[in-house]
Amino acid sequence: MKSIQSPPRTWAEINLSALKQNLKLARERSGQRVMAVLKAGAYGHGLEQIAKALDSEGLPFFGVASVIEARRLAAIGIQTRIYLLGPTFPDERAEAVYHRWVISISTKEEADHVNTLNQGNDPLPVHITLDTGMGRGGFLPDQLTEGLAHIKSLPNLTVEGIGSHLPSADEDKAFTLAQFKTFESAFDPSEFQYIHIANSAGLLDYSSKITNMVRPGLMLYGISPLLEYQDELIPVMTLKSRVSLIRTLPKGHGISYGRETILERDTRVATIGAGYGDGYPRSLSSKGTEVIIRGKRCKLLGRVTMDQIMVDVTDLPDCETGDEVELFGPELLVSEIAQKAGTIAWEILTGITPRVTRIYL
Ligand SMILES: *Cc1c(COP(=O)(O)O)cnc(C)c1O
């Protein structure tokens, strides 16, 4: 018998030409080399597919969170160098050294360990992390001179770059400007091949005379952390689902768990095949959240359940079973959804679960 496979209920369309457009903007806007940040499965867009799409772009690095992500890229033969963004655990360093993934160093002890593991090989290029205010890793500015001198004395390492990170580039201008100042006066730029501090917000809203690389994540995926730049970007992911059922329910009927919503009029209710099991947050319940059907915004009714949501399509008489639904995308930004859910776009994107089929366009 011929095998039969139904289309997905909920899927994420990933627009790879939008990804490249956004990269182009990151390059033009910064005038610098771009480390594409691909951590957390390329922000939920699919680690391998996004890496493949960008591997021929001539980027200096792909930034990933962990050796597991680095290993997945190595396994498919990605040629772009891999940069481990956070500190490495001691038991991860042997693998990182073996593959010559770039480790970011925060302490003399880390450097000593990596130096020992790389005994007998060509010096391993590493980057130094400077903590200018993030509080997550790195040397404090007043520890840098001594730390750097120590690392430079180690025979199996070579210091290739220096980086820092911005905790509030999208929230606090004065602090961020002060951070840039601290960074720019902490070392002699001629000693480093790569100098980098800017994430997406830093890239879009600030400039520096000494940096020569930027590390955008979110903006590559077409979402701006600062609303004023959103128009220049194209959202890469569109989360879609389909209407599974339409019924007219009478005024006074309850909708979904807890019966938080009681219909105030006779209502045409569309049931849609997506829920928090797909990463569509339950916290969107009762927040005036909307979805888009046939180009029109329709209101969510009642709580988001694991696999289904209900929306009001009374004012959309054409709506029928099987209609496509945009949960977020170019017409309804994930940042808007995030705000309604009381979180940030980064969390929604990385929270889209594996059962959601990714379709690459
Ligand atoms: C995640 C991350 C980035 C990218 O941040 P966006 O705000 O998504 O652009 C850059 N640098 C480091 C160190 C990061 O951890």
Side-chain angles (χ1 to χ4, degrees), residues 211-277:
T211 64
N212 54 25
M213 182 166 74
V214 290
R215 305 187 312 260
L218 194 68
M219 74 171 284
L220 293 181
Y221 307 104
I223 300 299
S224 177
L226 296 151
L227 209 56
E228 62 259 45
Y229 302 106
Q230 185 58 50
D231 285 352
E232 302 174 48
L233 298 169
I234 312 166
V236 174
M237 184 191 291
T238 307
L239 185 66
K240 290 187 170 175
S241 188
R242 291 186 286 153
V243 173
S244 55
L245 191 68
I246 299 181
R247 295 175 310 144
T248 299
L249 297 177
K251 179 180 168 184
H253 203 83
I255 305 285
S256 195
Y257 292 116
R259 301 180 69 251
E260 237 167 58
T261 295
I262 304 295
L263 297 176
E264 286 167 9
R265 58 174 182 179
D266 293 352
T267 305
R268 256 183 111 224
V269 178
T271 302
I272 293 162
Y276 63 79

Side-chain angles (χ1 to χ4, degrees), residues 35 83 85 104-106 127-141 144 161-167 175-176 178-184 186-187 194-199 210-211 213-215:
M35 175 195 299
Y83 185 103
L85 287 160
S104 44
I105 302 276
S106 282
H127 287 220
I128 306 296
T129 299
L130 187 62
D131 186 355
T132 56
M134 179 66 185
R136 195 167 67 174
F139 291 91
L140 291 172
L144 183 65
I162 186 161
S164 190
H165 195 40
L166 305 170
F175 182 79
T176 306
Q179 254 193 300
F180 269 92
K181 236 184 178 153
T182 305
F183 187 63
E184 289 169 350
F187 53 87
Y194 291 99
I195 303 172
H196 46 99
I197 187 168
N199 51 8
I210 70 154
T211 64
M213 182 166 74
V214 290
R215 305 187 312 260

